[in-house]
Amino acid sequence: MRYICLVYLEEKPLEGQLVPGFVVDLGMSRAHEVAKACNAYDEELQSRGHLILGHPLSPSDNAITVRVRDGKMSTTDGPFAETKEVLGGFILVEARDLNEAIRIAAEMPLAKLGSIEVRPIHVAGASG
């Protein structure tokens, strides 16, 4: 079964770029260390047959929220939720069940800096 692991990070305009466009309060050497750990973990997931796809996202100030109400479209700059943590990227994984997907997410280096939301992918016509 496929699960999406949504990576939430707090955006801070401080020194220490971790992923393209995302800066966190780590300092440059720590940020490079975390990025290296993330790449190594992605390679490990791929070798174990779990990694399907993963990408960082542009900063939330590049986001547009779209709504259609009563047939009229409106847009808002940025994400809608008022929160310090924003969606920073995603990793699509293959896992036997939710427990295995949670274990995979818990091993992600970014889980130590932000949070990882794990959700099953709904496939139309599939049971379960």
Side-chain angles (χ1 to χ4, degrees), residues 105-128:
E107 294 172 359
M108 293 177 181
L110 292 177
K112 296 174 184 168
L113 298 174
S115 60
I116 312 293
E117 179 181 340
V118 179
R119 284 196 204 178
I121 298 294
H122 175 74
V123 179
S127 61

Side-chain angles (χ1 to χ4, degrees), residues 90-105:
F90 69 93
I91 299 174
L92 184 60
V93 298
E94 184 74 36
R96 283 186 311 275
D97 55 29
L98 180 58
N99 288 329
E100 183 177 40
I102 290 169
R103 283 192 299 275
I104 289 169

Side-chain angles (χ1 to χ4, degrees), residues 15-77:
E15 190 175 340
Q17 189 161 356
L18 179 58
V19 294
F22 266 81
V23 286
V24 293
D25 188 13
L26 295 176
M28 289 303 286
S29 63
R30 177 74 174 121
H32 288 295
E33 180 181 310
V34 171
K36 189 174 178 181
C38 290
N39 290 336
Y41 189 62
D42 288 351
E43 289 175 11
E44 179 185 337
L45 285 179
Q46 189 166 20
S47 72
R48 291 174 19 202
H50 291 297
L51 183 65
I52 297 167
L53 181 67
H55 288 288
L57 301 177
S58 294
S60 65
D61 61 0
N62 292 325
I64 300 291
T65 298
V66 177
R67 288 180 189 72
V68 177
R69 301 292 186 268
D70 297 322
K72 295 181 181 166
M73 182 195 67
S74 66
T75 61
T76 306
D77 290 342

